[in-house]
Structures are given as structure tokens and as C-alpha cells.
Amino acid sequence: MRKDIDIPKSDGVYVAAVKEFNETHRTNDWNAYIINDLNEPLELVLIVSNGYNDQKVTSQMRHKLQLLPAKGYAKIEFIEDSVLELTNEFAVTYFLGGTLFEKKFVFQASSISDETTGPIPVMPKEGVLAS
């Protein structure tokens, strides 16, 4: 019974979209990052991402990090320009102190843009935080 399972609220963990220069392709690309603003490392971080709207659904992408250090961050994936017009979801689960946490982070359609960037935790860059 799901109602009998206590899954605590996830605070201090974020997903952000950050625009960065790609040296290889000489382009400015959006990349998704997971950010740990806590003073403890996250263990066995699992991330499932996909994009969608009324007519389109992207394939699911799955990612795993064995450990995300305290006050650290890691790149999840490149965000192709064609999916910026879609709602993009990142379902994140992780262990912290032996307890399982989960949270769904959502970028609403067209919310990732140069005009919506701002400071983000831990990273020395600006980006867009998912809600």
C-alpha cells in the first residue's frame, strides 16, 4: 500500500538547465544538471527523463550516478533544441543517509531560454531551475 510508505520530502536537490559552449561543435548548447546543495553525498542517484506535449513524446533516457558529492553537481544530459518546446520531466530517486527520496522535476514547455536564466545553487553559472 503506497499510503503506508513514508517517502520524505526532497529538499536541497535540484535539476537545472545550463547553456554552455561546446568546444567540439562550436555551439552554445543546453545541458541538464543535477545539483546537490546538501552537506551530505547522495548515493545511487537514478534519473529518468522524457519530454512530451499533446502530439509528441520523446524516448525515455535513464541515468545512474553511484555517488553525488555534497555541494556537488553532475551533468545529466544534453538537451536538444527541438525538445525545448516540450514539457521536460526528470524523475529523480536517491538514497541519503539510508533513506530513499524521490522527486519529479519539470521544465514547462518553452521555459528554458536565455531570458529565464538566473543564479543556481552550487554551480558558478546561471541557468534555469526546474520546478
Side-chain angles (χ1 to χ4, degrees):
M1 312 300 176
R2 180 148 170 101
K3 66 181 172 117
D4 297 329
I5 300 172
D6 180 36
I7 299 177
K9 185 177 180 196
S10 174
D11 288 322
V13 176
Y14 307 94
V15 171
V18 177
K19 195 170 200 178
E20 300 172 302
F21 185 71
N22 182 321
E23 292 285 342
T24 304
H25 297 114
R26 318 267 320 142
T27 57
N28 287 306
D29 299 332
W30 287 100
N31 293 296
Y33 281 86
I34 183 160
I35 301 169
N36 177 10
D37 195 20
L38 301 172
N39 292 318
E40 297 180 60
L42 307 181
E43 297 175 348
L44 192 58
V45 181
L46 302 174
I47 305 162
V48 179
S49 64
N50 71 318
Y52 60 88
N53 67 13
D54 292 338
Q55 291 85 30
K56 295 180 187 176
V57 176
T58 66
S59 299
Q60 283 189 340
M61 303 285 285
R62 293 175 178 85
H63 309 277
K64 175 187 163 193
L65 295 168
Q66 196 64 38
L67 186 74
L68 183 60
K71 302 293 182 181
Y73 57 90
K75 187 186 288 188
I76 301 171
E77 65 189 27
F78 162 73
I79 305 174
E80 186 179 48
D81 286 343
S82 64
V83 301
L84 295 177
E85 65 190 34
L86 305 176
T87 297
N88 289 278
E89 288 186 353
F90 292 81
V92 177
T93 58
Y94 58 91
F95 283 94
L96 175 64
T99 301
L100 176 69
F101 289 79
E102 69 176 5
K103 184 171 183 179
K104 188 177 289 187
F105 296 91
V106 179
F107 291 105
Q108 294 300 326
S110 302
S111 66
I112 300 173
S113 70
D114 292 328
E115 294 77 32
T116 58
T117 60
I120 53 177
V122 180
M123 294 183 73
K125 300 179 180 186
E126 290 200 341
V128 179
L129 285 176
S131 55

